[in-house]
């Protein structure tokens, strides 16, 4: 017995011996075995054919739903209006009898004035109800998240879509979901068309080859989608309540079906043998199976077998089963090794074969393979970690290189820009100084005043640029970070002073001032940096406006004071809005200035405890809002 337990060849020899003893008995049963085989083969072919037709009918009903969804999807994208979405949803359900309902749900920012919007139509008997769905977490539902994340059309597993704030179907449904995009590729929503699970059951049950035949359908997790026992639908998986040793056939069937395989298998359910033919439903993760009791398939065979001597048949079956069990038990680990070897060949290293206490060659082979797998997984993990670290390092090098290149390019552009901006007012001042030096007595008083004013304007321009450069330097930043914010600043007074400063530079500009605060209202802040920020905002508005409309408002909110500068002019392009607060960035590289005014104003306002923003809802020019805390 010890040698038999440790020798695989001896086990197989004993099995062959037992089978050889049965040869003479097998001759008596050739007719019955052949008959059983033919009957089983014929039944399997017939069942497979019926299953093929059933799957085709299911796909036909699903194709109707898909065609209805796809044919209306492009219209939804072309006519993106709330009323149009309601009409399209109603149209899909009205024109397609297989459709149980249709919803068209868009992102919250598609109709900002509407908020979250979902048009939903549902078939109730002979009527179709179309509504805008009420408050509901649409964007967290599987029929919305799945196509959005996959970026393609897909079928969801059946679900119950209960919505207490709107109409809803009482049926279990499966939805075909198509993501919607604008021409520029922007995702805007999902059109989801529902197929009732009851309708799918009716389609599946149209043709049954045997009286007690039934269908089941499972998803990729092995969860029942369709089952004769409706309690199991959505609630049970094919693996639940199964003992691994007693129901290995059912577990194997579950793995085959949940992996989307096609084939047939004999299993035992509640002590009864069944033939199960299964195949996946195309373009889904579902698998449909037809289950037929073996006794119905082999009725003719059983009638013939009853004629023969029961003892011969019984003895033959016992010997065959014993032989099969011996061989199967002996080579079972080899089958596991084969499966795991295929998995490793496909790059799947996660599954591990357990160690065994068997001492024969197969047991030792299993233990050696298990040890090899553990070592292989460890080395593969180390290789993956090293590859990930290398990739991360390469990405950091690329980013650092790009930052260095950008910094070098920005430095060159900055030097060129500063040189140009400083040279122009210097040339003007030097030119007029030369004129005054050589022709002072010949210049009329009015012309002399213009020259002096021009020299004064350009001198102030140089002073303004030098101050900006200082503020943008490390010394300026350090000075600003250490500034005090305990000046008592009267809001209206600092606003009027900023207006006077702007009018000195732009005498012709008309600046309208309006304040909701009394002149005695003051806040604690740094008066110098607040004044610089307001002067810069007014200076820009005067420079870029149409010259006729610049308004300055001072308002109070519950927790802050708002200084608002508004003008009419070319405004700020959307492409530049994301860059306007980046230092040394200008709308037009040929325009006057260093590209520091708005970035410095933004920094000043944040260091004062507030913020500076562009009001994007204003479209007649620019409206900047400086908001500071009251305290």
């Amino acid at each position: 017995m010890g040698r038999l337990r440790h020798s695989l060849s001896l086990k197989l020899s004993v099995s062959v011996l037992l089978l050889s003893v049965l040869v003479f008995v097998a001759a008596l049963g050739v007719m019955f075995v052949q008959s059983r085989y033919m009957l089983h083969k014929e039944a399997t072919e017939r069942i497979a054919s019926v299953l093929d037709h059933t799957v085709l009918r299911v796909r036909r009903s699903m194709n109707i739903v898909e065609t209805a969804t796809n044919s209306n999807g492009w219209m939804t994208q072309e006519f993106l209006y709330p009323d149009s979405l309601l009409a399209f949803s109603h149209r899909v359900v009205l024109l397609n009898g297989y459709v149980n309902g249709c919803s068209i749900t868009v992102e919250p920012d598609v109709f900002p004035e509407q908020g979250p919007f979902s048009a939903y139509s549902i078939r109730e008997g002979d009527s179709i109800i179309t509504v805008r769905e009420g408050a509901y977490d649409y964007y967290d539902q599987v029929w919305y998240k799945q196509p959005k994340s996959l970026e393609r059309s897909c079928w969801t597993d059946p679900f119950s879509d209960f919505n207490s704030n709107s109409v809803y179907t009482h049926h279990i449904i499966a939805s075909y979901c198509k993501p919607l995009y604008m021409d520029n590729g922007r995702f805007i929503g999902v059109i989801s068309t529902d197929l009732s699970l009851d309708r799918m059951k009716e389609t599946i049950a149209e043709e049954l080859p045997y009286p007690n035949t039934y269908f089941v359908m499972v998803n990729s997790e092995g969860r029942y989608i369709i089952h004769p026992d409706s309690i199991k639908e959505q609630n049970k998986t094919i693996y639940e309540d199964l003992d691994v040793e007693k129901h290995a056939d059912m577990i194997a069937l579950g793995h085959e079906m949940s992996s989307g395989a096609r084939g047939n298998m004999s299993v035992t359910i509640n002590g009864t043998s069944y033939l199960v033919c299964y195949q996946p439903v195309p373009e889904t993760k579902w698998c449909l199976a037809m289950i037929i009791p073996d006794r119905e398939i082999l009725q003719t065979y059983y009638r013939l077998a009853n004629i023969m001597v029961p003892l011969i048949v019984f003895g033959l079956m016992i010997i065959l089963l014993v032989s099969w069990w011996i061989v199967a038990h002996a080579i079972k680990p080899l089958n596991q090794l084969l499966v795991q070897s295929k998995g490793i060949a496909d790059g799947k290293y996660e599954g591990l074969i357990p160690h065994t206490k068997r001492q024969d060659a197969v047991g030792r082979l299993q233990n050696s393979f298990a040890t090899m797998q553990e070592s292989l997984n460890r080395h593969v993990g180390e290789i993956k970690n090293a590859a990930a670290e290398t990739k991360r390092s390469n990405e950091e090098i690329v980013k650092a290189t790009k930052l260095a290149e950008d910094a070098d390019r920005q430095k060159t552009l900055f030097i060129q820009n500063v040189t140009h901006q400083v040279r122009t007012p210097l040339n003007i001042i030097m030119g007029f100084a030369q004129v005054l030096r050589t022709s002072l007595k010949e210049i009329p008083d009015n012309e002399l005043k213009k020259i002096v004013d021009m020299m004064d304007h350009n001198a102030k321009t140089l002073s303004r640029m030098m101050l900006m450069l200082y503020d943008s330097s490390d010394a300026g930043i350090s000075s600003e970070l250490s500034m005090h914010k305990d000046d008592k600043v009267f809001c209206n007074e600092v606003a009027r002073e900023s207006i006077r400063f702007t009018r000195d530079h732009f005498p012709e500009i008309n600046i309208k001032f309006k304040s909701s605060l009394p002149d005695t209202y003051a806040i604690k802040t740094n008066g110098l940096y607040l004044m610089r920020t307001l002067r810069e905002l007014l200076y820009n508005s005067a420079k870029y406006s149409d010259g006729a409309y610049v308004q300055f408002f001072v308002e109070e909110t519950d927790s802050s004071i708002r200084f608002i500068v508004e003008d009419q002019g070319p405004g700020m392009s959307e492409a530049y809005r994301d860059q306007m607060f980046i230092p040394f960035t200008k709308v037009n590289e040929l325009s006057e200035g260093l590209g520091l005014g708005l970035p410095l104003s933004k920094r000043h306002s944040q260091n004062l405890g507030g913020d500076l923003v562009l009001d994007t809802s204003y479209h007649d020019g620019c409206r900047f809002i400086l908001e500071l805390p009251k305290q």
Side-chain angles (χ1 to χ4, degrees):
M1 290 298 295
R3 186 177 179 185
L4 178 62
R5 183 161 53 91
H6 288 84
S7 175
L8 174 62
S9 60
L10 186 57
K11 290 179 180 179
L12 294 176
S13 298
V14 172
S15 300
V16 171
L17 178 62
L18 293 175
L19 292 174
S20 299
V21 172
L22 296 175
V23 168
F24 76 96
V25 179
L28 299 176
V30 168
M31 180 182 65
F32 295 99
V33 172
Q34 187 65 21
S35 299
R36 180 185 178 90
Y37 170 78
M38 295 298 294
L39 286 172
H40 206 276
K41 180 180 178 181
E42 180 181 353
T44 301
E45 293 174 352
R46 178 188 176 190
I47 293 168
S49 176
V50 173
L51 185 59
D52 285 339
H53 285 91
T54 302
V55 170
L56 287 176
R57 288 198 305 273
V58 171
R59 274 308 308 168
R60 185 164 55 249
S61 63
M62 295 172 69
N63 285 337
I64 292 174
V65 175
E66 293 174 4
T67 302
T69 305
N70 294 331
S71 63
N72 286 274
W74 71 269
M75 296 177 63
T76 301
Q77 296 169 169
E78 288 290 326
F79 304 95
L80 193 61
Y81 308 102
D83 291 341
S84 300
L85 299 187
L86 291 168
F88 291 143
S89 173
H90 184 88
R91 171 190 174 93
V92 170
V93 180
L94 177 65
L95 299 182
N96 301 276
Y98 279 85
V99 171
N100 188 71
C102 176
S103 66
I104 306 176
T105 305
V106 296
E107 289 287 89
D109 60 346
V110 174
F111 304 130
E113 69 284 1
Q114 298 276 349
F117 185 90
S118 179
Y120 182 51
S121 295
I122 183 175
R123 188 184 303 277
E124 292 288 352
D126 295 330
S127 302
I128 298 175
I129 301 173
T130 300
V131 296
R132 173 186 174 178
E133 291 193 271
Y136 185 45
D137 191 9
Y138 316 108
Y139 310 109
D140 200 38
Q141 303 302 312
V142 64
W143 51 266
Y144 195 93
K145 292 195 302 184
Q146 186 170 331
K148 180 179 180 180
S149 62
L150 294 176
E151 298 183 349
R152 59 177 175 82
S153 301
C154 61
W155 279 93
T156 66
D157 286 341
F159 61 95
S160 175
D161 193 21
F162 173 76
N163 181 0
S164 61
N165 294 316
S166 181
V167 296
Y168 66 94
T169 179
H170 298 277
H171 300 281
I172 302 298
I173 57 175
S175 294
Y176 177 72
C177 310
K178 176 182 178 64
L180 303 175
Y181 296 91
M182 299 293 286
D183 292 339
N184 60 5
R186 174 195 169 197
F187 172 80
I188 58 173
V190 171
I191 176 171
S192 174
T193 307
D194 304 332
L195 177 62
S196 170
L197 197 63
D198 292 338
R199 186 60 181 266
M200 191 181 296
K201 286 182 180 179
E202 294 174 2
T203 301
I204 291 174
E206 288 179 4
E207 183 178 356
L208 297 175
Y210 297 95
N212 293 312
T213 300
Y214 64 93
F215 287 89
V216 297
M217 182 183 289
V218 299
N219 63 11
S220 59
E221 299 174 353
R223 188 170 301 278
Y224 288 113
I225 297 174
I226 292 177
H227 194 278
D229 185 357
S230 59
I231 297 177
K232 292 185 177 181
E233 293 176 350
Q234 312 300 316
N235 299 317
K236 296 284 187 178
T237 68
I238 196 171
Y239 308 108
E240 289 187 29
D241 303 324
L242 294 180
D243 185 288
V244 176
E245 295 182 356
K246 295 181 180 179
H247 303 96
D249 52 353
M250 283 295 296
I251 293 176
L253 174 63
H255 284 296
E256 286 287 302
M257 293 182 65
S258 59
S259 64
R262 174 178 180 148
N264 60 82
M265 183 180 295
S266 294
V267 299
T268 301
I269 304 175
N270 296 328
T272 303
S273 296
Y274 290 82
L275 174 64
V276 181
C277 286
Y278 51 91
Q279 65 170 285
V281 179
E283 300 181 23
T284 70
K285 295 182 179 180
W286 310 336
C287 187
L288 181 65
M290 182 184 295
I291 302 176
I292 310 97
D294 275 345
R295 62 177 179 271
E296 294 188 12
I297 297 175
L298 302 174
Q299 285 182 355
T300 304
Y301 172 80
Y302 290 141
R303 285 195 295 267
L304 181 61
N306 288 334
I307 302 174
M308 299 299 295
V309 179
L311 291 177
I312 297 177
V313 176
F314 179 79
L316 177 61
M317 293 300 297
I318 291 297
I319 296 174
L320 287 174
L321 288 175
V322 169
S323 300
W324 174 84
W325 183 87
I326 293 173
V327 175
H329 180 72
I331 66 173
K332 183 177 180 180
L334 295 179
N335 293 330
Q336 292 178 333
L337 294 179
L338 176 62
V339 172
Q340 292 297 325
S341 299
K342 290 181 178 179
I344 292 174
D346 296 334
K348 300 176 182 178
Y349 304 99
E350 294 79 9
L352 294 175
I353 289 182
H355 289 271
T356 181
K357 295 182 179 180
R358 290 179 56 172
Q359 299 299 318
D360 58 11
V362 175
R364 294 194 297 272
L365 177 62
Q366 179 176 341
N367 289 332
S368 298
F369 191 89
T371 302
M372 181 195 70
Q373 267 194 305
E374 293 169 356
S375 177
L376 182 62
N377 283 348
R378 184 169 58 257
H379 289 303
V380 169
E382 293 173 355
I383 292 172
K384 287 182 178 179
N385 292 336
E389 182 64 23
T390 302
K391 180 180 178 182
R392 185 186 63 79
S393 299
N394 290 339
E395 290 175 350
E396 291 179 354
I397 292 173
V398 171
K399 290 180 181 178
T401 303
K402 187 177 184 304
L403 288 175
E405 293 174 350
D406 290 344
D408 184 67
R409 183 170 58 255
Q410 190 74 11
K411 179 190 71 175
T412 302
L413 292 175
F414 169 68
I415 294 173
Q416 293 174 349
N417 187 36
V418 170
T419 302
H420 172 74
Q421 297 297 334
V422 172
R423 184 173 61 245
T424 300
L426 276 178
N427 288 340
I428 294 173
I429 294 173
M430 293 173 62
F432 280 129
Q434 181 67 28
V435 171
L436 293 176
R437 185 182 303 114
T438 59
S439 307
L440 177 62
K441 296 180 180 180
E442 300 174 2
I443 300 174
D445 291 343
N446 60 337
E447 291 294 330
L448 183 59
K449 184 179 184 306
K450 291 181 180 178
I451 291 174
V452 172
D453 289 343
M454 184 69 72
M455 294 176 70
D456 179 68
H457 173 77
N458 284 276
K460 289 179 179 178
T461 299
L462 281 174
S463 176
R464 177 172 171 267
M465 284 191 289
M466 292 305 104
L467 180 60
M468 286 184 178
L469 288 173
Y470 176 79
D471 283 348
S472 64
S473 68
D474 292 341
I477 294 173
S478 176
S479 176
E480 184 173 344
L481 291 175
S482 61
M483 70 178 178
H484 66 84
K485 292 184 282 188
D486 53 0
D487 294 340
K488 184 178 181 180
V489 179
F490 294 92
C491 297
N492 291 344
E493 180 181 338
V494 73
R496 292 190 180 98
E497 194 285 330
S498 300
I499 293 174
R500 286 193 296 272
F501 173 82
T502 306
R503 285 174 176 164
D504 289 342
H505 288 77
F506 301 93
E508 74 285 352
I509 198 69
N510 180 25
I511 302 177
K512 297 180 180 179
F513 175 65
K514 182 178 180 181
S515 175
S516 62
L517 303 176
D519 288 343
T520 57
Y521 192 94
I523 59 174
K524 289 286 187 178
T525 186
N526 187 291
L528 176 62
Y529 283 100
L530 174 57
M531 185 180 298
R532 285 185 186 177
T533 303
L534 294 177
R535 284 179 175 181
E536 186 61 35
L537 295 177
L538 287 170
Y539 188 94
N540 281 345
S541 292
K543 182 168 64 174
Y544 293 111
S545 73
D546 60 1
Y549 181 91
V550 175
Q551 293 203 65
F552 191 6
F553 303 98
V554 181
E555 298 177 350
E556 179 183 14
T557 67
D558 292 339
S559 60
S560 63
I561 302 299
R562 302 174 74 190
F563 298 88
I564 303 172
V565 179
E566 177 182 297
D567 64 63
Q568 286 186 351
M572 194 79 67
S573 66
E574 291 187 9
Y576 180 69
R577 289 176 184 173
D578 295 335
Q579 305 177 16
M580 62 183 174
F581 292 124
I582 301 175
F584 311 114
T585 302
K586 301 197 296 183
V587 178
N588 184 352
E589 292 298 331
L590 300 179
S591 63
E592 178 186 341
L594 300 175
L596 288 172
L598 286 176
L600 288 175
S601 298
K602 178 80 168 181
R603 195 185 78 197
H604 294 341
S605 63
Q606 290 177 339
N607 287 334
L608 291 173
D611 200 5
L612 174 66
V613 297
L614 174 68
D615 186 356
T616 57
S617 64
Y618 181 74
H619 303 292
D620 294 332
C622 285
R623 178 189 289 155
F624 283 92
I625 301 174
L626 170 60
E627 190 164 8
L628 296 179
K630 289 182 178 180
Q631 300 299 327

